[in-house]
Amino acid sequence: MTVTAELYGNAEKNAWLGKINFEEDYIKVMLCTNQYTPDQDTHEFKSDITNEVTGTGYIVGGQRLFNCAVTYDPVTKKIKLDSDDIIWLSSSITARYAVFYADIVSAEDTAKPLICFWDFGQDETDTAGSFTLELSTDGIVMSTVGATA
C-alpha cells in the first residue's frame, strides 16, 4: 500500500495555539470510506469528517495511538510526528483514508482538532484479520521547516 500523508491546514496553527499537544493529548485515528473527500483548507475539527467506516472490530471514533512522539532533525529540517503501529484485530474493514485527530477529553467533536490524514490511494480491505497502519521511518506525517527571510 502506497500512502500519502498530508497535514490539515489548521493543524500547525492549532498546535501553536495550544489546542494540540501531540505528546500529552489522546491522539486517535479514525478510518473513512472512499466517500470522504479530504479538504486541507476547510476541515479543522472532527465534526468536519464524514463517512467513517463501520465493520467488525471497528469502534466509532477510531483507535487511540500510543507512544506518541515529536522529533526534529536539524539536518533535514523536518519535524516528525510518530507513534506505535495501529492495529484493529479480528476486523472486517474497508477504508480509503485514515484521519488523525486530538481527542480532547470531554470536548464536543466541534472542538477536537484534526492533525493529518493518510490517503491509501485505493480502498484497503481486511476480512476477519488485522487491519494495520504500519508507520514507516517517516512516522505519521512530516513537516519541513522553511528558511527564514
Side-chain angles (χ1 to χ4, degrees), residues 5-96:
E6 301 287 345
L7 279 169
Y8 284 101
N10 286 300
E12 289 191 46
K13 175 193 83 170
N14 284 329
W16 278 96
L17 292 172
K19 294 180 182 179
I20 300 172
N21 183 330
F22 194 75
E23 293 180 337
E24 299 287 328
D25 292 338
Y26 283 175
I27 305 300
K28 292 183 85 173
V29 59
M30 60 190 284
L31 301 175
C32 295
T33 70
N34 60 16
Q35 296 300 303
Y36 170 61
T37 303
D39 188 329
Q40 287 178 275
D41 297 324
T42 62
H43 291 176
E44 184 173 3
F45 298 102
K46 184 176 179 275
S47 57
D48 295 319
I49 306 304
T50 60
N51 298 296
E52 186 174 6
V53 302
T54 58
T56 303
Y58 185 84
I59 297 171
V60 173
Q63 197 171 137
R64 182 177 172 200
L65 279 60
F66 291 95
N67 297 313
C68 294
V70 179
T71 58
Y72 174 68
D73 183 337
V75 174
T76 63
K77 305 268 190 262
K78 293 190 182 282
I79 297 170
K80 176 171 73 170
L81 305 181
D82 205 356
S83 80
D84 292 342
D85 290 348
I86 303 102
I87 303 170
W88 283 268
L89 297 171
S90 303
S91 62
S92 293
I93 301 169
T94 298
R96 168 70 187 261

Side-chain angles (χ1 to χ4, degrees), residues 1-5 96 118-122 124:
M1 158 178 25
T2 301
V3 173
T4 303
R96 168 70 187 261
W118 284 7
D119 182 346
F120 304 140
Q122 64 185 23
E124 293 293 332

